[in-house]
Coordinates of all heavy atoms in Angstrom, one line a residue:
M41 N 45.0 102.7 169.4 CA 44.8 102.3 170.8 C 45.7 101.1 171.1 O 45.7 100.1 170.3 CB 43.3 102.0 171.0 CG 43.0 101.6 172.4 SD 41.2 101.3 172.7 CE 40.6 103.0 172.5
A42 N 46.3 101.0 172.2 CA 47.2 99.9 172.6 C 46.3 98.7 173.0 O 45.2 98.9 173.4 CB 48.1 100.3 173.7
S43 N 47.0 97.6 172.9 CA 46.3 96.3 173.3 C 46.8 96.0 174.7 O 48.0 96.1 175.0 CB 46.7 95.2 172.4 OG 46.2 94.0 172.9
F44 N 45.8 95.8 175.6 CA 46.2 95.6 177.0 C 45.9 94.1 177.4 O 44.8 93.6 177.1 CB 45.4 96.5 177.9 CG 45.8 98.0 177.7 CD1 45.0 98.8 176.9 CD2 47.0 98.5 178.2 CE1 45.4 100.1 176.7 CE2 47.4 99.8 178.0 CZ 46.6 100.6 177.3
D45 N 46.8 93.5 178.0 CA 46.6 92.1 178.5 C 46.4 92.2 180.0 O 47.4 92.4 180.8 CB 47.9 91.3 178.2 CG 47.8 89.8 178.6 OD1 46.8 89.5 179.4 OD2 48.6 89.0 178.2
I46 N 45.2 92.1 180.5 CA 44.9 92.3 181.9 C 45.5 91.2 182.7 O 46.0 91.5 183.8 CB 43.3 92.3 182.1 CG1 42.7 93.5 181.4 CG2 43.0 92.3 183.6 CD1 43.2 94.8 181.9
A47 N 45.6 90.0 182.2 CA 46.2 88.9 183.0 C 47.7 89.2 183.2 O 48.3 89.0 184.3 CB 46.1 87.6 182.3
R48 N 48.4 89.8 182.2 CA 49.8 90.1 182.3 C 49.9 91.3 183.3 O 50.8 91.3 184.2 CB 50.4 90.6 181.0 CG 51.8 91.0 181.1 CD 52.4 91.3 179.7 NE 53.7 91.9 179.9 CZ 53.9 93.2 179.9 NH1 52.9 94.1 179.8 NH2 55.1 93.7 180.1
L49 N 49.0 92.2 183.3 CA 49.0 93.4 184.2 C 48.9 92.9 185.6 O 49.6 93.3 186.5 CB 47.9 94.3 183.8 CG 47.8 95.6 184.6 CD1 49.0 96.4 184.6 CD2 46.6 96.4 184.1
I50 N 48.0 92.0 185.9 CA 47.8 91.5 187.2 C 49.0 90.6 187.6 O 49.4 90.7 188.8 CB 46.5 90.7 187.3 CG1 45.3 91.6 187.2 CG2 46.4 89.9 188.6 CD1 43.9 91.0 187.0
G51 N 49.6 89.9 186.7 CA 50.8 89.1 186.9 C 51.9 90.0 187.4 O 52.7 89.7 188.3
L52 N 52.1 91.2 186.7 CA 53.1 92.1 187.2 C 52.9 92.6 188.6 O 53.9 92.6 189.4 CB 53.1 93.4 186.2 CG 53.6 93.2 184.8 CD1 53.3 94.4 184.0 CD2 55.1 92.8 184.8
L53 N 51.7 92.8 188.9 CA 51.4 93.3 190.3 C 51.7 92.1 191.3 O 52.3 92.4 192.3 CB 49.9 93.7 190.4 CG 49.5 94.3 191.7 CD1 50.3 95.5 192.0 CD2 48.0 94.6 191.6
D54 N 51.3 90.9 190.9 CA 51.6 89.8 191.8 C 53.1 89.5 191.9 O 53.5 88.9 193.0 CB 50.8 88.5 191.3 CG 49.3 88.6 191.5 OD1 48.9 89.5 192.3 OD2 48.6 87.9 190.8
Q55 N 53.9 89.8 190.9 CA 55.3 89.6 191.0 C 56.0 90.7 191.7 O 57.3 90.7 191.8 CB 55.9 89.5 189.5 CG 55.4 88.3 188.8 CD 55.7 88.4 187.3 OE1 56.6 89.1 186.9 NE2 55.0 87.6 186.5
G56 N 55.3 91.7 192.1 CA 55.9 92.9 192.8 C 56.5 93.9 191.9 O 57.2 94.8 192.3
K57 N 56.2 93.8 190.6 CA 56.6 94.8 189.6 C 55.6 96.0 189.6 O 55.0 96.2 188.6 CB 56.8 94.2 188.3 CG 57.9 93.1 188.3 CD 58.1 92.4 186.9 CE 59.1 91.4 187.0 NZ 59.3 90.7 185.7
T58 N 55.5 96.6 190.7 CA 54.4 97.6 190.8 C 54.6 98.9 190.0 O 53.6 99.4 189.4 CB 54.3 98.1 192.3 OG1 55.6 98.5 192.8 CG2 53.8 96.9 193.2
A59 N 55.9 99.3 189.8 CA 56.1 100.5 188.9 C 55.6 100.2 187.5 O 55.0 101.1 186.9 CB 57.6 100.9 189.0
E60 N 56.0 99.0 187.0 CA 55.6 98.7 185.6 C 54.0 98.5 185.6 O 53.4 99.0 184.6 CB 56.3 97.4 185.2 CG 56.1 97.1 183.8 CD 56.9 95.9 183.3 OE1 57.8 95.4 184.1 OE2 56.7 95.4 182.2
A61 N 53.5 97.9 186.6 CA 52.0 97.7 186.6 C 51.3 99.1 186.7 O 50.3 99.3 186.0 CB 51.6 96.9 187.8
I62 N 51.8 100.0 187.4 CA 51.3 101.4 187.5 C 51.3 102.1 186.1 O 50.4 102.7 185.7 CB 52.0 102.2 188.6 CG1 51.6 101.7 190.0 CG2 51.6 103.7 188.4 CD1 52.4 102.3 191.1
D63 N 52.5 102.0 185.5 CA 52.6 102.6 184.2 C 51.6 102.1 183.2 O 51.0 102.8 182.5 CB 54.0 102.4 183.6 CG 55.1 103.2 184.4 OD1 54.7 104.1 185.1 OD2 56.3 102.9 184.2
I64 N 51.5 100.7 183.1 CA 50.6 100.1 182.2 C 49.1 100.4 182.5 O 48.3 100.8 181.6 CB 50.8 98.6 182.1 CG1 52.2 98.4 181.5 CG2 49.8 97.9 181.2 CD1 52.7 96.9 181.5
A65 N 48.8 100.3 183.8 CA 47.4 100.6 184.2 C 47.0 102.1 184.0 O 45.9 102.4 183.6 CB 47.2 100.2 185.7
S66 N 48.0 102.9 184.2 CA 47.8 104.4 184.0 C 47.5 104.6 182.5 O 46.6 105.4 182.1 CB 49.0 105.2 184.4 OG 49.1 105.1 185.8
E67 N 48.3 104.0 181.6 CA 48.0 104.1 180.2 C 46.7 103.5 179.8 O 45.9 104.1 179.0 CB 49.1 103.4 179.4 CG 49.0 103.5 177.9 CD 50.1 102.8 177.1 OE1 51.1 102.4 177.7 OE2 49.9 102.6 175.9
L68 N 46.3 102.4 180.4 CA 45.0 101.8 180.1 C 43.9 102.7 180.5 O 43.0 102.9 179.7 CB 44.9 100.5 180.9 CG 43.6 99.8 180.9 CD1 43.1 99.4 179.5 CD2 43.6 98.5 181.8
V69 N 43.9 103.3 181.7 CA 42.8 104.2 182.1 C 42.8 105.5 181.3 O 41.8 106.1 181.2 CB 42.7 104.4 183.6 CG1 42.4 103.0 184.3 CG2 43.9 105.0 184.2
R70 N 44.0 105.9 180.9 CA 44.0 107.1 180.0 C 43.3 106.9 178.7 O 42.6 107.7 178.2 CB 45.5 107.5 179.8 CG 45.8 108.9 179.7 CD 47.2 109.4 179.7 NE 48.3 108.4 179.4 CZ 49.0 107.8 180.4 NH1 48.8 108.2 181.7 NH2 49.9 106.9 180.1
E71 N 43.6 105.7 178.1 CA 43.0 105.4 176.8 C 41.5 104.9 176.9 O 40.8 105.1 176.0 CB 43.8 104.3 176.1 CG 45.2 104.9 175.7 CD 45.9 103.9 174.7 OE1 45.3 103.0 174.1 OE2 47.1 104.1 174.6
M72 N 41.2 104.2 178.1 CA 39.9 103.7 178.3 C 39.4 104.0 179.7 O 39.5 103.2 180.6 CB 39.9 102.2 178.1 CG 40.2 101.7 176.6 SD 40.0 99.9 176.4 CE 41.7 99.4 176.9
P73 N 39.0 105.3 179.9 CA 38.7 105.7 181.2 C 37.6 104.9 182.0 O 37.5 105.0 183.2 CB 38.2 107.2 181.0 CG 38.6 107.6 179.7 CD 38.8 106.3 178.9
T74 N 36.8 104.2 181.2 CA 35.7 103.4 181.9 C 36.1 102.0 182.1 O 35.3 101.2 182.5 CB 34.4 103.4 181.0 OG1 34.7 102.9 179.7 CG2 33.9 104.8 180.9
H75 N 37.4 101.7 182.0 CA 37.9 100.3 182.2 C 38.1 100.1 183.7 O 39.2 100.5 184.2 CB 39.2 100.1 181.4 CG 39.5 98.6 181.3 ND1 39.9 97.9 182.3 CD2 39.5 97.8 180.2 CE1 40.2 96.6 181.9 NE2 39.9 96.6 180.6
V76 N 37.1 99.6 184.4 CA 37.2 99.5 185.8 C 38.4 98.7 186.3 O 39.0 99.0 187.3 CB 35.9 99.0 186.4 CG1 35.6 97.6 186.1 CG2 35.8 99.3 187.9
T77 N 38.7 97.6 185.7 CA 39.8 96.7 186.1 C 41.1 97.5 186.1 O 42.0 97.3 186.9 CB 39.9 95.5 185.2 OG1 38.7 94.8 185.3 CG2 41.0 94.5 185.7
G78 N 41.3 98.4 185.1 CA 42.5 99.2 185.0 C 42.6 100.1 186.2 O 43.7 100.2 186.8
H79 N 41.5 100.7 186.7 CA 41.5 101.5 187.9 C 41.8 100.7 189.1 O 42.6 101.2 190.0 CB 40.1 102.3 188.0 CG 39.9 103.3 187.0 ND1 40.5 104.5 187.1 CD2 39.1 103.3 185.9 CE1 40.1 105.3 186.0 NE2 39.2 104.6 185.3
V80 N 41.2 99.5 189.2 CA 41.4 98.7 190.4 C 42.9 98.2 190.5 O 43.5 98.3 191.5 CB 40.5 97.5 190.4 CG1 40.8 96.4 191.4 CG2 39.0 97.9 190.6
V81 N 43.4 97.8 189.4 CA 44.8 97.3 189.4 C 45.8 98.5 189.7 O 46.7 98.4 190.5 CB 45.2 96.6 188.0 CG1 46.7 96.4 188.0 CG2 44.4 95.3 187.9
R82 N 45.5 99.6 189.1 CA 46.3 100.8 189.4 C 46.2 101.2 190.9 O 47.2 101.5 191.5 CB 45.8 102.0 188.5 CG 46.6 103.2 188.7 CD 46.3 104.3 187.6 NE 47.1 105.4 187.8 CZ 46.8 106.5 188.6 NH1 45.7 106.5 189.3 NH2 47.7 107.5 188.7
A83 N 45.0 101.1 191.4 CA 44.8 101.4 192.9 C 45.6 100.4 193.7 O 46.3 100.9 194.7 CB 43.3 101.4 193.2
R84 N 45.5 99.2 193.4 CA 46.3 98.2 194.2 C 47.8 98.4 194.1 O 48.5 98.2 195.1 CB 45.9 96.8 193.7 CG 44.5 96.3 194.1 CD 44.2 94.9 193.7 NE 45.3 94.0 194.1 CZ 45.5 92.8 193.4 NH1 44.9 92.5 192.4 NH2 46.5 92.0 193.9
A85 N 48.3 98.7 192.9 CA 49.7 98.9 192.7 C 50.2 100.1 193.5 O 51.2 100.1 194.1 CB 50.0 99.0 191.2
L86 N 49.4 101.2 193.4 CA 49.8 102.4 194.1 C 49.7 102.2 195.6 O 50.6 102.7 196.3 CB 48.8 103.6 193.7 CG 49.0 104.1 192.3 CD1 47.7 104.9 191.9 CD2 50.2 105.0 192.2
E87 N 48.8 101.5 196.1 CA 48.6 101.2 197.5 C 49.9 100.3 197.9 O 50.4 100.6 199.0 CB 47.4 100.4 197.7 CG 46.9 100.3 199.1 CD 45.6 99.6 199.2 OE1 44.9 99.3 198.2 OE2 45.2 99.2 200.4
S88 N 50.3 99.4 197.1 CA 51.4 98.5 197.5 C 52.7 99.3 197.5 O 53.6 98.9 198.2 CB 51.5 97.3 196.6 OG 51.9 97.7 195.3
Q89 N 52.8 100.4 196.8 CA 54.0 101.3 196.8 C 53.9 102.3 198.0 O 54.8 103.1 198.2 CB 54.1 102.0 195.5 CG 54.8 101.2 194.5 CD 55.3 102.0 193.3 OE1 54.8 103.1 193.0 NE2 56.4 101.6 192.7
G90 N 52.8 102.3 198.7 CA 52.6 103.3 199.7 C 52.1 104.7 199.3 O 52.1 105.6 200.1
D91 N 51.7 104.8 198.0 CA 51.2 106.0 197.5 C 49.6 106.0 197.7 O 48.8 105.9 196.8 CB 51.5 106.2 196.1 CG 51.2 107.6 195.5 OD1 50.5 108.4 196.2 OD2 51.6 107.9 194.4
F92 N 49.2 106.2 199.0 CA 47.9 106.1 199.4 C 47.0 107.2 198.8 O 45.8 106.9 198.6 CB 47.7 106.0 200.9 CG 48.5 104.8 201.5 CD1 49.5 105.0 202.4 CD2 48.2 103.5 201.0 CE1 50.2 103.9 202.9 CE2 48.9 102.4 201.5 CZ 49.9 102.6 202.5
R93 N 47.5 108.4 198.7 CA 46.7 109.5 198.1 C 46.3 109.2 196.7 O 45.1 109.3 196.3 CB 47.4 110.8 198.2 CG 47.6 111.3 199.6 CD 48.1 112.8 199.5 NE 48.6 113.2 200.8 CZ 47.8 113.5 201.9 NH1 46.5 113.4 201.8 NH2 48.4 113.8 203.0
E94 N 47.2 108.8 195.9 CA 46.9 108.4 194.5 C 46.0 107.2 194.4 O 45.2 107.0 193.5 CB 48.2 108.3 193.6 CG 48.8 109.6 193.3 CD 47.8 110.5 192.4 OE1 47.2 110.0 191.5 OE2 47.7 111.7 192.8
A95 N 46.3 106.2 195.3 CA 45.5 105.0 195.3 C 44.1 105.3 195.6 O 43.1 104.7 195.0 CB 46.1 104.0 196.4
L96 N 43.9 106.2 196.6 CA 42.5 106.6 196.9 C 41.8 107.2 195.7 O 40.6 106.9 195.5 CB 42.5 107.6 198.1 CG 41.2 107.9 198.8 CD1 40.7 106.6 199.5 CD2 41.4 109.0 199.8
V97 N 42.5 108.0 194.9 CA 41.9 108.6 193.7 C 41.5 107.5 192.8 O 40.4 107.5 192.2 CB 42.9 109.6 193.1 CG1 42.4 110.0 191.7 CG2 43.1 110.8 194.0
A98 N 42.4 106.5 192.6 CA 42.1 105.4 191.7 C 40.9 104.6 192.2 O 40.0 104.2 191.4 CB 43.3 104.5 191.5
W99 N 40.8 104.3 193.5 CA 39.7 103.6 194.0 C 38.4 104.4 193.8 O 37.4 103.8 193.5 CB 39.9 103.3 195.5 CG 40.8 102.2 195.8 CD1 41.9 102.2 196.6 CD2 40.6 100.8 195.5 NE1 42.5 101.0 196.6 CE2 41.7 100.1 196.0 CE3 39.7 100.1 194.7 CZ2 41.9 98.7 195.8 CZ3 39.9 98.7 194.5 CH2 41.0 98.1 195.1
R100 N 38.5 105.7 194.0 CA 37.2 106.5 193.8 C 36.8 106.5 192.3 O 35.6 106.5 192.1 CB 37.5 108.0 194.3 CG 37.5 108.1 195.8 CD 37.7 109.5 196.2 NE 37.6 109.6 197.7 CZ 38.3 110.5 198.4 NH1 39.0 111.4 197.8 NH2 38.2 110.5 199.7
N101 N 37.8 106.5 191.4 CA 37.4 106.5 190.0 C 36.7 105.1 189.7 O 35.8 105.1 188.9 CB 38.7 106.6 189.1 CG 39.2 108.0 189.2 OD1 38.5 109.0 189.4 ND2 40.5 108.2 188.9
A102 N 37.3 104.1 190.3 CA 36.6 102.7 190.1 C 35.2 102.7 190.7 O 34.3 102.2 190.1 CB 37.5 101.6 190.7
L103 N 35.1 103.3 191.9 CA 33.8 103.3 192.5 C 32.8 104.1 191.7 O 31.6 103.8 191.7 CB 33.9 103.9 194.0 CG 32.7 103.8 194.8 CD1 32.4 102.3 195.2 CD2 32.9 104.6 196.1
D104 N 33.2 105.2 191.1 CA 32.3 106.0 190.2 C 31.7 105.1 189.1 O 30.6 105.3 188.7 CB 33.0 107.2 189.6 CG 33.3 108.3 190.6 OD1 32.7 108.3 191.7 OD2 34.1 109.1 190.2
L105 N 32.5 104.1 188.6 CA 32.1 103.2 187.5 C 31.2 102.1 188.0 O 30.3 101.7 187.3 CB 33.4 102.7 186.8 CG 34.2 103.7 186.1 CD1 35.5 103.1 185.7 CD2 33.5 104.3 184.9
V106 N 31.6 101.5 189.2 CA 30.8 100.4 189.7 C 30.6 100.7 191.2 O 31.3 100.1 192.1 CB 31.6 99.1 189.5 CG1 30.7 97.9 190.0 CG2 32.0 98.9 188.1
P107 N 29.6 101.5 191.6 CA 29.4 101.9 193.0 C 28.9 100.8 193.9 O 29.1 100.9 195.1 CB 28.3 103.0 192.9 CG 27.8 103.0 191.5 CD 28.7 102.2 190.6
T108 N 28.5 99.7 193.4 CA 28.0 98.6 194.2 C 29.0 97.5 194.4 O 28.7 96.5 195.1 CB 26.7 98.0 193.6 OG1 27.0 97.5 192.3 CG2 25.6 99.0 193.6
S109 N 30.2 97.7 193.9 CA 31.2 96.6 194.0 C 31.8 96.5 195.4 O 32.4 97.5 195.9 CB 32.4 96.9 193.0 OG 33.5 96.0 193.3
P110 N 31.6 95.4 196.1 CA 32.2 95.3 197.4 C 33.7 95.3 197.4 O 34.4 95.7 198.4 CB 31.7 93.9 197.9 CG 31.1 93.2 196.8 CD 30.9 94.2 195.7
I111 N 34.3 94.8 196.4 CA 35.8 94.8 196.3 C 36.3 96.2 196.2 O 37.3 96.6 196.9 CB 36.3 94.0 195.0 CG1 36.0 92.5 195.2 CG2 37.7 94.2 194.7 CD1 36.2 91.7 194.0
I112 N 35.7 97.0 195.4 CA 36.1 98.4 195.3 C 35.8 99.2 196.6 O 36.6 99.9 197.1 CB 35.4 99.1 194.1 CG1 35.9 98.4 192.8 CG2 35.7 100.6 194.1 CD1 35.1 98.9 191.6
Q113 N 34.7 98.9 197.2 CA 34.3 99.6 198.5 C 35.3 99.2 199.6 O 35.8 100.1 200.3 CB 32.9 99.2 198.9 CG 31.8 99.8 198.0 CD 30.5 99.2 198.3 OE1 30.3 98.3 199.1 NE2 29.5 99.7 197.6
R114 N 35.7 97.9 199.6 CA 36.7 97.5 200.6 C 38.1 98.2 200.3 O 38.8 98.6 201.3 CB 36.9 96.0 200.6 CG 35.8 95.3 201.4 CD 36.1 93.8 201.7 NE 36.4 93.1 200.5 CZ 35.5 92.4 199.8 NH1 34.2 92.4 200.1 NH2 35.8 91.7 198.7
G115 N 38.5 98.2 199.1 CA 39.8 98.8 198.7 C 39.8 100.3 199.1 O 40.8 100.8 199.6
L116 N 38.7 101.0 198.8 CA 38.6 102.4 199.1 C 38.6 102.6 200.6 O 39.4 103.5 201.1 CB 37.3 103.0 198.6 CG 37.0 104.4 198.8 CD1 38.0 105.3 198.0 CD2 35.6 104.8 198.3
S117 N 37.9 101.8 201.4 CA 37.9 101.9 202.8 C 39.3 101.6 203.4 O 39.8 102.3 204.3 CB 36.9 100.9 203.4 OG 36.9 100.9 204.8
R118 N 39.9 100.6 202.9 CA 41.3 100.2 203.4 C 42.3 101.3 203.2 O 43.0 101.7 204.1 CB 41.7 98.9 202.7 CG 43.1 98.4 203.2 CD 43.5 97.1 202.4 NE 43.5 97.4 201.0 CZ 42.8 96.8 200.1 NH1 41.9 95.9 200.4 NH2 42.9 97.1 198.8
T119 N 42.2 101.9 202.0 CA 43.2 102.9 201.7 C 42.9 104.2 202.5 O 43.8 104.8 202.9 CB 43.1 103.2 200.2 OG1 43.4 102.0 199.4 CG2 44.2 104.3 199.8
A120 N 41.6 104.5 202.7 CA 41.3 105.7 203.4 C 41.8 105.5 204.9 O 42.3 106.5 205.5 CB 39.8 105.9 203.4
K121 N 41.7 104.3 205.4 CA 42.1 104.1 206.8 C 43.7 104.2 206.9 O 44.2 104.8 207.8 CB 41.7 102.7 207.3 CG 40.3 102.6 207.6 CD 39.9 101.1 208.0 CE 38.4 101.0 208.2 NZ 38.0 99.6 208.4
K122 N 44.4 103.8 205.8 CA 45.8 103.9 205.8 C 46.2 105.4 205.8 O 47.2 105.8 206.4 CB 46.4 103.1 204.7 CG 46.4 101.6 204.9 CD 46.9 100.9 203.7 CE 46.8 99.4 203.9 NZ 47.3 98.6 202.7
L123 N 45.5 106.2 205.1 CA 45.8 107.6 205.0 C 45.5 108.3 206.3 O 46.3 109.2 206.7 CB 44.9 108.3 203.9 CG 45.5 108.4 202.5 CD1 44.5 108.9 201.6 CD2 46.8 109.2 202.5
A124 N 44.5 107.8 207.0 CA 44.2 108.5 208.3 C 45.1 108.0 209.5 O 45.2 108.7 210.5 CB 42.7 108.1 208.7
A125 N 45.7 106.8 209.3 CA 46.6 106.3 210.4 C 47.9 107.0 210.5 O 48.5 107.4 209.5 CB 46.8 104.8 210.1
P126 N 48.4 107.2 211.7 CA 49.7 107.8 211.8 C 50.8 106.9 211.3 O 50.6 105.7 211.3 CB 49.8 108.0 213.4 CG 48.9 107.0 214.0 CD 47.8 106.8 213.0
P127 N 51.9 107.5 210.8 CA 52.9 106.6 210.2 C 53.5 105.7 211.3 O 53.6 106.1 212.5 CB 53.9 107.6 209.7 CG 53.6 108.9 210.4 CD 52.2 108.9 210.8
I128 N 53.9 104.6 210.9 CA 54.6 103.6 211.8 C 56.0 104.0 211.9 O 56.7 104.1 210.9 CB 54.4 102.2 211.3 CG1 53.0 101.8 211.2 CG2 55.2 101.2 212.1 CD1 52.7 100.5 210.5
V129 N 56.5 104.2 213.1 CA 57.9 104.6 213.4 C 58.5 103.4 214.1 O 58.0 103.0 215.2 CB 58.0 105.8 214.2 CG1 59.4 106.2 214.5 CG2 57.2 107.0 213.6
K130 N 59.6 102.9 213.6 CA 60.3 101.8 214.2 C 61.4 102.5 215.1 O 62.2 103.3 214.7 CB 61.0 100.9 213.2 CG 60.1 100.1 212.4 CD 60.8 99.2 211.4 CE 59.8 98.4 210.6 NZ 60.5 97.5 209.7
L131 N 61.3 102.1 216.4 CA 62.2 102.6 217.4 C 63.4 101.7 217.5 O 63.3 100.4 217.6 CB 61.6 102.8 218.7 CG 60.4 103.7 218.8 CD1 59.7 103.7 220.1 CD2 60.8 105.1 218.4
S132 N 64.6 102.2 217.5 CA 65.8 101.4 217.7 C 66.0 101.1 219.2 O 65.6 102.0 220.0 CB 67.0 102.2 217.2 OG 66.9 102.5 215.9
P133 N 66.6 100.0 219.5 CA 66.8 99.7 220.9 C 67.8 100.8 221.5 O 68.7 101.3 220.7 CB 67.4 98.3 220.9 CG 67.8 98.1 219.6 CD 67.0 98.9 218.7
P134 N 67.7 101.1 222.8 CA 68.7 102.1 223.3 C 70.1 101.6 223.2 O 70.4 100.4 223.3 CB 68.2 102.2 224.7 CG 67.4 101.0 225.1 CD 66.9 100.5 223.8
E135 N 71.0 102.5 223.0 CA 72.4 102.1 222.9 C 72.9 101.9 224.3 O 72.5 102.5 225.2 CB 73.2 103.2 222.2 CG 72.9 103.4 220.7 CD 73.8 104.3 220.0 OE1 74.9 104.6 220.5 OE2 73.3 104.9 219.0
P136 N 73.9 100.9 224.5 CA 74.4 100.7 225.8 C 75.2 101.9 226.2 O 75.8 102.7 225.4 CB 75.4 99.5 225.6 CG 75.6 99.4 224.1 CD 74.5 100.1 223.5
P137 N 75.3 102.2 227.6 CA 76.0 103.3 228.1 C 77.5 103.2 227.7 O 78.1 102.1 227.6 CB 75.8 103.3 229.6 CG 75.3 102.0 229.9 CD 74.7 101.4 228.6
L138 N 78.2 104.3 227.6 CA 79.6 104.3 227.4 C 80.3 103.9 228.6 O 79.9 104.2 229.7 CB 80.1 105.7 227.0 CG 79.5 106.3 225.7 CD1 79.9 107.8 225.5 CD2 80.1 105.5 224.5
P139 N 81.4 103.2 228.5 CA 82.2 102.8 229.7 C 82.6 104.0 230.5 O 83.0 105.0 230.0 CB 83.4 102.1 229.1 CG 83.1 101.8 227.7 CD 82.1 102.8 227.3
G140 N 82.4 103.9 231.8 CA 82.8 104.9 232.7 C 81.7 105.9 233.0 O 81.9 106.8 233.8
F141 N 80.6 105.8 232.3 CA 79.5 106.8 232.4 C 78.3 106.0 233.0 O 78.0 104.9 232.5 CB 79.1 107.4 231.1 CG 80.1 108.4 230.7 CD1 81.1 108.1 229.8 CD2 80.1 109.7 231.1 CE1 82.1 109.0 229.3 CE2 81.0 110.7 230.6 CZ 82.0 110.3 229.8
E142 N 77.6 106.5 233.9 CA 76.4 105.9 234.4 C 75.2 106.5 233.7 O 75.2 107.7 233.5 CB 76.3 106.1 235.9 CG 77.4 105.4 236.7 CD 77.2 105.6 238.2 OE1 76.0 105.7 238.7 OE2 78.2 105.6 238.9
P143 N 74.2 105.7 233.4 CA 73.0 106.2 232.8 C 72.3 107.2 233.7 O 72.4 107.1 235.0 CB 72.1 105.0 232.6 CG 73.0 103.8 232.8 CD 74.2 104.3 233.6
V144 N 71.7 108.2 233.2 CA 71.0 109.3 233.9 C 69.9 108.6 234.7 O 69.2 107.7 234.2 CB 70.4 110.3 233.0 CG1 69.5 111.3 233.8 CG2 71.5 111.0 232.2
G145 N 69.7 109.0 236.0 CA 68.7 108.4 236.8 C 69.2 107.2 237.7 O 68.5 106.7 238.5
S146 N 70.5 106.8 237.4 CA 71.0 105.7 238.3 C 71.9 106.2 239.3 O 72.6 105.4 240.0 CB 71.7 104.7 237.4 OG 72.8 105.2 236.8
M147 N 72.1 107.5 239.4 CA 73.0 108.1 240.4 C 72.3 108.3 241.7 O 71.2 108.5 242.0 CB 73.5 109.4 239.9 CG 74.4 109.3 238.7 SD 75.0 111.0 238.4 CE 75.7 110.7 236.8

């Protein structure tokens, strides 16, 4: 069984090294399925990468272990809302009309 340093794992997440944090947290929960912190860190990392479906699974796994945790309940709720929300689309400003052409509707 591998040795896991939870402080290092959380540090990776805080440093934005989410892919590495996901890999380590995934290995942690594979080896120790009842390690709730591993599920929580994995959920946070997946969520920060925008993988809300997998994050929701990780939050549910954590909730199965500690159903009364307000942190887990909030994480699960937040992720579920993100899954239900329509994607954010950034609209570009309209391009200026070509010289010699009038915009439609100005004639």
